[in-house]
Every structure is written in C-alpha cells, then in structure tokens.
Amino acid sequence: MFKYKNVLIYGYSKSGKAVERILINMEVNYKIYDDNMRLDGGKYLSKLPKKEIVKFDLIVISPAVSIYNKLIKYAESEGIRVISELEFGYLVCPYPIIAVTGTNGKTTVVKLLEHCFDSAGYKVKALGNVGEPLSEIVKYEKLDFAIVEVSSFQLEATYKFKPYIGVLLNIDEDHLDRHKTFANYLNLKLGLFKNCNNENYAVLGNQKEILNNFDNETVNTVVLNKDCKIDNGVVCYNDEQLFEVSQLNDFTFMDNILAVISVLKIVGLENEKILMGINTFVGLEHRLEYVDTVGDNIFYNDSKATNPHSTINAVMKLKRYDNITLLLGGQDKDFDFNRLIEKLPSNVHNIVCFGKCRKKIFKCIKDKTKAYLQTDLKSAVVLANQITKNGVILLSPACASFDEFKGYAERGKYFKNIVLALKQSTNLKEIVC
C-alpha cells in the first residue's frame, strides 16, 4: 500500500515521467522539479527552496540526481524519505525481478537474457538502464520476469529493492566523479543484495573485491568461473556438464555468457534451449562491433567502453591481431589512466588521444607506445587510418562522450559514418553528428 500523500519528482526525464504516470493513476498529490527546467505553475516548480521541500513526505529522484545533492541532503536531514526511480519501480512491480549490475557487460547480459527467455517461450521485458525505466513495468501484462539493468546511480537510494536473482558481473573504478571513492562505488554495487535472503540468488563475478566484501550468508550464491565454469572445453554448472564450448557460435564474451547460463539454470531452462538462445543472439551495437574494412585496415566500434576496464577487455578480446591503433578520449570521469596504459598489451602499436581529456591521457602514455594528439574524433580517425598499416583501428575511448556527443550511441554512429566516408572516399566535411 502506497502511504505517501505529497510526492516530489526530482528530475523530469523519462524516469520522472514514468513515475508521474503512476502517481496520476494513484491520485497522489505531486510536484515536479528539474535543475534544467524552469517551468512554473501547475505541477512544475521553477525553484526548490527549503520551505517548499518540507511540504513533501517522499522525493523520487532520477538517476541523474546524486544523493550528495545539497537539496537531497537537506530533505533527508528533515526526515523526508528519498528514493530512486528504481526503488519506486520495484514497489509497483508485480513480477519477479532479475537484476544485472557491474562495471561492464550489463547491457549485453540483459539483452542476451531477454533473447534467451523469448526464444524459450517465456514472456519477459528488459528495463532499467537498458531503456525504459522500471516504473514502466505497470503497462506490461502477464510477464514471467522483469529483467533490469541496474546502474550504481540507481542503487544510491534503495531501501527495499530485492531481486529474485541479482547478478554482479565485475567491478573496477568507474563514476568516481559522482561516488567519490571506489569503496563507495563497490558498496553500492553490493547493495543489490542487501535485502536478499534464502529465497533469492546472487550470481557473482569471481573477483576478490566482490567476494571479500560480499557478506550475505543467507542468499543462494553462484560464483562465475567456479560454480559455472569451463572445464576441459565443456561448460559446467554445479558439476553438471551442459555442452561443449565448441558448440557456441561465439564465445568472445565468455564471462557474460557464463552469467547468462547461471541465471537460466537457476530458472530451470533446458540445456538445449540455453544453447539455442545464445547461438541466435545478435550482438549489441557499439560493443566491440565490427564496422568495416578500409583498404588493409579493420575498424571496430566499442564506443560503449566509457571506462578503462572496458577498454582493456576490448583490447584483450582482439589479441589475435598484432597491430592495433587505439582511439582514447572524451570526457573524463576522474580516472587514473596510468593503470589503463600499464595493462595494454604489446599489440597496441599506436594510441590516438582525442577530446576534452586527450592531454591527460597523452601524459600517461610516456614511452609505452607511439602516441598522437587530435582535437576531435573525426581528426583522430583520419589520422589513425593514415598511420596504421594492415592493422586494426579500435574506438574504445575509456571516457564518457559528453564533450562532443549526446551519448556513446551518437559517438559510435558518428564513428561508423566516418569509416563509411573513408571507404567511399567522400568529403569528410559533410559528416555531422
């Protein structure tokens, strides 16, 4: 039962609008405030003074609103409950939730799970960070599961959120500009399981940072590459042999596949249906996506790599190539790029730094490999094509895209347009975002 009488929706993007539609149906009094919107009157507030905040007994924040926000800190000091849209969506969700989080691989796992369930005859919907907010779940009928991609931003203000199956794929430094420390970031990710008990399942990446800090002894736990693993070329789950690795069409993202298999085995899918689902899945756009070959150079689009950990994974998955030119840059998220440079394998022969934090990255490269500076992505791609001989040009920026683009998807599409123009020898000046 929803007990709140006066609700503030803080952040009026798609998550705020989804919350609003539910509140209207509930006939609950609400107001809307957004830092980037100055509408006043009706449901909209152009300002949010302290005397206005204390009128509410609940504030629902969008992922863009940090718990460190001064207005949010004040509201909490006054005893006002602040919850994320994820928490709100959970409160109205009538279906079991499979929640996936981690530094990298979340979207791939969520979409692969959705596809495998669909192909096996289940009725599911992927929501959360992957697309529609969880609060949109109310418009879908008779689902078997809601599959939710969960970001650290969404986990900041959760209190009752409890997935039937929670998946924490991996952990590495990310979003430190928001969460301040790696410890805070790790605790948020592990918070996915804080309300879970022996009726719930935790699928965990086999990392010491995760396992050493996971302290829920009641939840049923599956550890990747331990309980679900590859043994002598055979995929095994809890000592059951499922199928040979050679039966998989593509095992580039094997850790992600093991996570998906773990979830599907928990639910009870037959091995044949699991294999069929994985083998009929088409990979995600902007995630280590083959673009084209121009002359003797092969182009890959990994624009979704917005942190160093993801970039390292991408380069390692292309280790079959002995000559890689790596495109790094964009908007920094307070990363230490020295760690990234140190972990790059020797097949990275060139690095082209572009975008807002290009100079910061360039300084870290030192004598590791040949390095170049370019202002923007277009000039970086053109230069990369000139200096690379019979190799791979990989866009895996390790940075956010907001210095030049609206998001990683726009950056990836722009990259692919540049590659197409290079192949067709057309005028690069005509390419726009």
Side-chain angles (χ1 to χ4, degrees):
M1 183 177 178
F2 196 76
K3 64 181 181 179
Y4 300 99
K5 305 299 182 184
N6 294 289
V7 180
L8 175 66
I9 300 172
Y10 193 160
Y12 198 52
S13 58
K14 59 185 179 181
S15 61
K17 292 173 182 176
V19 172
E20 180 186 27
R21 285 189 284 272
I22 294 173
L23 292 179
I24 290 173
N25 289 333
M26 288 180 172
E27 298 183 347
V28 173
N29 293 324
Y30 71 92
K31 292 285 186 179
I32 298 163
Y33 177 75
D34 192 297
D35 293 316
N36 300 314
M37 188 174 66
R38 288 295 174 260
L39 294 176
D40 202 2
K43 295 294 183 182
Y44 303 101
L45 299 172
S46 62
K47 296 180 180 180
L48 194 59
K50 291 181 178 179
K51 64 180 181 180
E52 190 71 31
I53 292 176
V54 295
K55 295 179 182 179
F56 301 102
D57 53 1
L58 177 70
I59 300 177
V60 183
I61 58 176
S62 77
V65 179
S66 169
I67 56 171
Y68 298 106
N69 179 294
K70 291 181 180 179
L71 297 177
I72 296 303
K73 297 298 286 184
Y74 174 75
E76 290 180 325
S77 71
E78 291 294 311
I80 300 167
R81 174 65 88 183
V82 177
I83 66 173
S84 67
E85 181 277 326
L86 178 74
E87 176 84 353
F88 184 87
Y90 171 75
L91 296 177
V92 300
C93 180
Y95 309 115
I97 290 174
I98 299 170
V100 181
T101 195
T103 302
N104 296 298
K106 299 184 294 295
T107 306
T108 299
V109 168
V110 165
K111 296 304 289 184
L112 180 51
L113 279 171
E114 183 182 43
H115 173 77
C116 288
F117 276 119
D118 283 342
S119 65
Y122 285 72
K123 191 172 182 182
V124 299
K125 179 62 184 176
L127 306 108
N129 207 46
V130 71
E132 291 182 283
L134 177 55
S135 299
E136 295 283 17
I137 193 68
V138 295
K139 68 183 184 183
Y140 295 100
E141 297 181 354
K142 299 179 180 179
L143 297 182
D144 294 300
F145 298 102
I147 306 172
V148 186
E149 179 182 337
V150 178
S151 73
S152 56
F153 293 2
Q154 294 166 316
L155 286 166
E156 276 186 333
T158 56
Y159 303 94
K160 295 183 178 181
F161 184 76
K162 183 171 72 169
Y164 169 54
I165 304 173
V167 182
L168 174 52
L169 297 167
N170 47 58
I171 196 77
D172 201 0
E173 288 188 351
D174 200 4
H175 303 300
L176 300 189
D177 51 337
R178 165 110 165 209
H179 302 310
K180 314 299 183 185
T181 67
F182 177 70
N184 288 342
Y185 176 62
L186 173 60
N187 287 335
L188 283 170
K189 293 292 192 182
L190 290 168
L192 184 72
F193 309 102
K194 62 186 177 185
N195 297 312
C196 293
N197 54 35
N198 57 13
E199 297 178 349
N200 308 114
Y201 292 84
V203 177
L204 305 175
N206 194 357
Q207 288 182 253
K208 66 179 187 300
E209 294 88 350
I210 294 174
L211 300 180
N212 290 349
N213 291 280
F214 184 79
D215 60 0
N216 190 327
E217 296 180 357
T218 63
V219 65
N220 298 289
T221 304
V222 176
V223 179
L224 303 178
N225 292 304
K226 180 182 176 185
D227 302 310
C228 187
K229 61 185 178 181
I230 299 171
D231 188 7
N232 292 323
V234 178
V235 179
C236 302
Y237 178 80
N238 284 341
D239 298 326
E240 175 194 356
Q241 293 188 343
L242 309 185
F243 40 77
E244 294 181 0
V245 175
S246 60
Q247 291 179 264
L248 294 168
N249 291 344
D250 182 7
F251 39 90
T252 303
F253 300 97
M254 199 62 219
D255 282 352
N256 292 342
I257 292 174
L258 291 178
V260 169
I261 291 171
S262 298
V263 172
L264 298 178
K265 290 299 292 183
I266 290 168
V267 172
L269 251 68
E270 299 91 340
N271 297 341
E272 295 77 9
K273 290 184 177 180
I274 293 174
L275 187 61
M276 179 186 69
I278 294 172
N279 281 342
T280 55
F281 178 68
V282 178
L284 297 180
E285 187 179 15
H286 313 302
R287 174 57 81 197
L288 205 57
E289 172 193 16
Y290 168 74
V291 179
D292 212 332
T293 299
V294 180
D296 294 325
N297 290 331
I298 302 169
F299 288 79
Y300 278 91
N301 167 29
D302 194 42
S303 180
K304 205 172 187 300
T306 59
N307 58 69
H309 183 259
S310 188
T311 297
I312 293 166
N313 284 344
V315 174
M316 296 307 295
K317 287 179 172 65
L318 296 178
K319 60 185 178 183
R320 64 187 181 276
Y321 298 107
D322 58 9
N323 179 17
I324 294 177
T325 294
L326 179 61
L327 304 179
L328 293 176
Q331 181 174 299
D332 187 16
K333 293 192 282 184
D334 289 347
F335 293 130
D336 177 4
F337 291 107
N338 285 295
R339 295 180 61 215
L340 165 63
I341 302 304
E342 289 169 2
K343 291 183 178 181
L344 289 178
S346 59
N347 61 340
V348 177
H349 291 184
N350 304 292
I351 298 176
V352 181
C353 308
F354 68 93
K356 191 173 182 179
C357 70
R358 61 190 181 276
K359 293 181 180 178
K360 178 180 177 181
I361 300 173
F362 186 83
K363 290 179 181 177
C364 297
I365 297 170
K366 299 175 183 175
D367 298 327
K368 174 73 176 183
T369 188
K370 293 180 181 178
Y372 306 82
L373 276 171
Q374 291 294 308
T375 304
D376 54 25
L377 178 57
K378 185 189 295 185
S379 59
V381 177
V382 172
L383 176 63
N385 192 48
Q386 292 171 348
I387 63 176
T388 307
K389 306 301 179 185
N390 193 27
V392 168
I393 296 170
L394 169 64
L395 171 66
S396 191
C399 297
S401 57
F402 302 116
D403 58 334
E404 193 177 353
F405 306 96
K406 294 178 181 177
Y408 74 82
E410 184 180 81
R411 176 170 63 188
K413 289 176 181 177
Y414 186 61
F415 174 72
K416 292 195 286 186
N417 286 338
I418 298 170
V419 175
L420 178 63
L422 287 171
K423 186 165 187 174
Q424 296 178 345
S425 299
T426 54
N427 188 354
L428 289 171
K429 294 181 179 180
E430 296 175 358
I431 302 174
V432 295
C433 295

